[in-house]
Amino acid sequence: MEEAIKTVVTTFLKSSRSSDGLGKNDFKKMVQKQLGNIMADTDSSSAIKDMQQGLDTDQDGKVSFQEYLQLIGHLAKSLSQRKTGENAAA
Ligand SMILES: [Ca+2]
């Protein structure tokens, strides 16, 4: 659990070249490199752009750490829903 939290933080820090968040290309690279298995549509540039715009609630063009946590929360939620579905089916 501690390792997972560290990974969430260091992935963000390593992926963002500026301290105020992930720019468009930073975000795209991070998603494609780190989330290709858990997320659908990571090959689609327009899907990634839509995703980034959806996360960028203050619309400054960058995904801040706070905004990035929304993505992590969303992915964790959909993963748990998938697992719950698997258990129910088994
Ligand atoms: Ca933002």
Side-chain angles (χ1 to χ4, degrees):
M1 182 66 174
E2 290 168 3
E3 285 305 312
I5 294 169
K6 276 186 219 165
T7 301
V8 164
V9 174
T10 54
T11 298
F12 179 84
L13 294 176
K14 270 193 252 171
S15 304
S16 56
R17 269 169 299 175
S18 71
S19 56
D20 50 345
L22 301 167
K24 207 163 68 174
N25 288 330
D26 297 336
F27 182 74
K28 188 176 161 187
K29 266 190 228 161
M30 190 275 292
V31 166
Q32 289 180 332
K33 210 171 142 191
Q34 306 288 341
L35 299 169
N37 295 315
I38 200 169
M39 276 172 65
D41 293 339
T42 55
D43 294 334
S44 158
S45 291
S46 65
I48 290 176
K49 201 176 143 202
D50 288 349
M51 204 189 306
Q52 194 205 341
Q53 284 171 348
L55 289 169
D56 188 12
T57 46
D58 63 359
Q59 299 187 328
D60 67 348
K62 288 183 172 168
V63 177
S64 67
F65 188 66
Q66 200 60 42
E67 291 163 349
Y68 161 85
L69 289 180
Q70 301 282 328
L71 172 67
I72 305 299
H74 174 77
L75 292 172
K77 195 174 153 190
S78 66
L79 188 64
S80 95
Q81 283 167 346
R82 257 186 276 166
K83 294 264 182 223
T84 309
E86 279 168 21
N87 291 342

